[in-house]
Each structure stands twice: as structure tokens, then as C-alpha cells.
Amino acid sequence: MDRRMPGTAARTVLAVVTAASLVACASGAGGDDAAGDDPSGSAGPGKCTVSAKLVPSCGAWWGVTPVIGARQDPAAAVRDFERKTGRTVDIYHGYHTGPELFPTASEIGLTRESGKHRMLVLNWKPDDGKTWKQVAQGAADAQIAREAAYLKTHFTKKFWLVIHHEPEEEVKTAPASGKTAADYRAMFRHVVSEFRADGARNILFTMVYMGYSGYMVKPWFKDLYPGDKYVDWIGFDPFAKSNIKDYPALVNKVAAAQQSLGFPGFYDYSAKYFPDKPLMLSEWAVLETPGDPGRKPAFFRDVAKEFANYPRIKALAYYNTTHAVNMPDGGDTSVDATPDALRAFKALGKSPEFKVKR
């Protein structure tokens, strides 16, 4: 979760998906193992596909990050969200740490429900109680091997695995800390290499950033990236506080201190440094603004209007909670905070961009 999000961003349009292509995405068929992973949405009318790495050539996967209590069943939270919003999600985004084996029985059940076609984005912190450097040196190898064996017997469908999301706020520059940006990169590479060596073939390795420009200007920021051979998808987690007025400002958010430098927001930054990687909004949300109940529904309507102008975003999972931590005004991101917000979110979920055919 991007906990600092000051400032606004200039409205930038890099590419446009044609209306014909969007209609084709809603009505055309695509195979799960279609060739190519072009994140730009360049498939022609009637040729919408889904690649072997689950990249839809038209539109994007629709998902949820339901904030749940320690004892709440994630499947129940997902189904409650679907009941409220009037459609099945494509993606459930959940979190795991340390020795936990994943996906859980509840998460697996979500993917096996007849006619639902749900997929999993799972965050995992293999460094629970360890430094990034220690994991890179093999401290979690036994757990990785155990997890790889578990996947072979319990879950063979493709899923996204996020390795320690949002590392920026935990970076320490002291070399002895074991938590430098280079240590994170080494950890990510090592975890990927171990899973591959252990025969786990159904994982899409995903690097998720906060997307906060205050970290993006740090001299160590580029050192975080593990490299193209280790990363299948790139994610970031933008939240819309009251100063973020629309969807373009959300995906290209720039803090005031960087605006005068002409620094790009994360969407534009990723086009330069990760041009071949599909993007995911692994956590995105709009916060309630006291005294402005119309803001959230208006924002959802703007997403519907602007989404096609940012075609490298191929998946998004809404962070749904009434109390997001470290957020202003109580952190209410819930889609049903008001009846108008819920109506607008329901309409957004019915947009052709979010009806990917498999």
C-alpha cells in the first residue's frame, strides 16, 4: 500500500486502445496458451487472446484485495464482495508470510468453484525473521522446497506470486543491514531460481512496487529490479487520497517535490524501464473524503472513461476495507461506503474492458 501519496500528476496519455478492439475483447475468444505477451493491447479486432503468462491482449483482469481479519475465511470475503458488486472477480489477492504453505484450502476452493474462473495473486514474504541477504544466501531454501512440493500435489494452476511487495519503505542503505536494494534484488533472484530448480512451473513471478515517486528518485531505486529474466509481471499500489482527482493522476502520481523536476509517474516510468512487462494494480483504491460523498462515485466513472488510455495495465485488484492503515480520515476505501459509490463501482465492473474472455 502506498502510504505517502502526496501531490498530483500531469495527465499523460501514451496509447489508446480502439473502441473496436475493446468490443472484440468483450465478445471474442482467447486461448490460455496463446503466443506472445505484448502488454500494449495491440491485438486486432476479433483476435483477443490470453497468453501463456496470463496477459490478456484486450482489457484487464478484474480483482479484489479484501482486507480480512485473522480468522475470516478469504473465500467468504470474496463471495461477499461479489454479492455486493454484482459480478464474479477474476482475481483474489491474498497475503502469506514465512512458513505458511499456500494457497490455502479456502483459496484453492475459490479457483475450483464451477463456472467462476477465479485466479490467485499471492503475496509472500520468505524473509519472515530473516534479512533479504540471508534469504539470498539460502536461509529460506528448505521452505521454498517445501512450498514447491506442496504446489505439485495441491495446486497446479498458474498463479501470480509476489515476492515481498513494496520493498521501498524497508530499504536500508547500510551495507551490513542485509536490507539494501541490492540485497532485495539478490533475494528475489534467489527465490525465483530455487522455485525453478525445485520444479515449480505454474508461478508467474511478480515484482510489486509502492509506486511512490519519493522513493523512485532515490539513487538505489533502480537497484531493486531483479531483471527481466526473473520477473513476469510488474505491479504497483496506488491509492487515491482527496488530492488525486482522476484515474490518470492515480496511475501517474508524482509528489510535489518531484513535479518541479518533471519526474514521471510510475506508469510512464515503467514504459521506459520495463516496456515489455504487463502491469498490475495489485492494490488500488479510492478513499472516502468527508464532506464530499460524490467524489468516489465520480472517480469510479472516470476510471471507466480513462482506463483504455493506459493499455499496459492488464490486471487490477481493488483494496476494499473500511479502515486502511496509515490513511487519512479513517481509511475507508469500501466500494459500498455510499449507495452512489456502489452503483458506480458496479457499472465500472460491467465495462467491456473488464470482461476478458479465456
Side-chain angles (χ1 to χ4, degrees):
M1 182 190 304
D2 185 340
R3 298 168 181 83
R4 290 172 175 79
M5 298 175 232
T8 58
R11 194 164 163 145
T12 304
V13 176
L14 294 182
V16 177
V17 177
T18 65
S21 178
L22 292 175
V23 172
C25 184
S27 59
D32 284 344
D33 294 310
D37 287 318
D38 179 9
S40 66
S42 60
K47 296 182 180 179
C48 294
T49 60
V50 177
S51 80
K53 292 185 178 179
L54 299 183
V55 181
S57 63
C58 308
W61 303 117
W62 180 256
V64 63
T65 305
V67 179
I68 59 177
R71 297 183 181 181
Q72 187 176 359
D73 177 19
V78 170
R79 293 185 182 112
D80 181 61
F81 183 81
E82 291 175 338
R83 179 186 58 77
K84 289 179 180 178
T85 60
R87 64 158 288 175
T88 301
V89 298
D90 301 309
I91 286 173
Y92 159 74
H93 179 193
Y95 303 84
H96 298 278
T97 188
E100 299 173 8
L101 290 172
F102 54 84
T104 64
S106 177
E107 291 168 340
I108 292 172
L110 281 170
T111 71
R112 293 180 178 173
E113 190 172 343
S114 178
K116 298 299 183 181
H117 302 294
R118 302 186 191 94
M119 298 174 290
L120 303 177
V121 174
L122 299 179
N123 261 282
W124 183 46
K125 292 187 176 182
D127 50 308
D128 183 41
K130 308 174 184 68
T131 66
W132 295 338
K133 186 174 184 177
Q134 287 171 332
V135 175
Q137 293 174 338
D141 285 5
Q143 177 58 26
I144 295 170
R146 185 166 167 252
E147 174 63 31
Y150 174 85
L151 290 173
K152 291 175 188 176
T153 57
H154 288 76
F155 192 74
T156 57
K157 293 182 178 182
K158 290 180 182 177
F159 73 103
W160 291 266
L161 178 61
V162 179
I163 300 172
H164 195 121
H165 78 314
E166 301 183 2
E168 302 101 302
E169 64 178 350
E170 297 180 41
V171 169
K172 294 179 172 55
T173 56
S177 67
K179 298 284 295 258
T180 67
D183 289 330
Y184 175 85
R185 180 181 65 227
M187 177 185 73
F188 195 110
R189 289 178 173 181
H190 184 79
V191 171
V192 171
S193 296
E194 286 298 302
F195 270 118
R196 289 172 175 168
D198 290 335
R201 304 295 181 220
N202 59 327
I203 301 175
L204 299 172
F205 295 103
T206 305
M207 168 76 184
V208 170
Y209 294 89
M210 292 178 74
Y212 170 52
S213 61
Y215 287 131
M216 291 162 64
V217 297
K218 297 293 186 182
W220 46 257
F221 183 76
K222 292 179 184 177
D223 294 336
L224 289 167
Y225 187 58
D228 287 351
K229 67 182 286 188
Y230 298 97
V231 176
D232 296 305
W233 282 63
I234 297 285
F236 64 114
D237 296 342
F239 281 56
K241 293 181 180 179
S242 59
N243 60 334
I244 304 299
K245 303 302 183 184
D246 54 23
Y247 182 71
L250 179 73
V251 299
N252 260 327
K253 210 149 29 80
V254 182
Q258 286 81 54
Q259 287 179 7
S260 61
L261 304 175
F263 196 80
F266 193 87
Y267 186 91
D268 287 358
Y269 178 95
S270 69
K272 180 177 180 179
Y273 293 103
F274 326 116
D276 299 322
K277 299 300 177 183
L279 298 181
M280 171 188 300
L281 302 184
S282 48
E283 295 176 3
W284 79 281
V286 183
L287 285 116
E288 282 293 303
T289 302
D292 190 3
R295 177 177 174 270
K296 187 179 283 184
F299 202 105
F300 291 150
R301 290 191 291 270
D302 189 73
V303 176
K305 181 178 70 175
E306 296 281 0
F307 187 83
N309 294 327
Y310 299 84
R312 293 181 59 245
I313 295 175
K314 294 298 182 180
L316 64 172
Y318 191 85
Y319 192 89
N320 194 61
T321 181
T322 57
H323 52 277
V325 297
N326 297 326
M327 287 290 169
D329 303 318
D332 187 353
T333 68
S334 58
V335 298
D336 59 338
T338 66
D340 284 347
L342 183 58
R343 278 192 291 270
F345 192 83
K346 282 183 175 182
L348 176 62
K350 293 176 181 178
S351 300
E353 291 94 332
F354 307 122
K355 295 180 181 178
V356 177
K357 296 292 184 180
R358 307 184 195 208

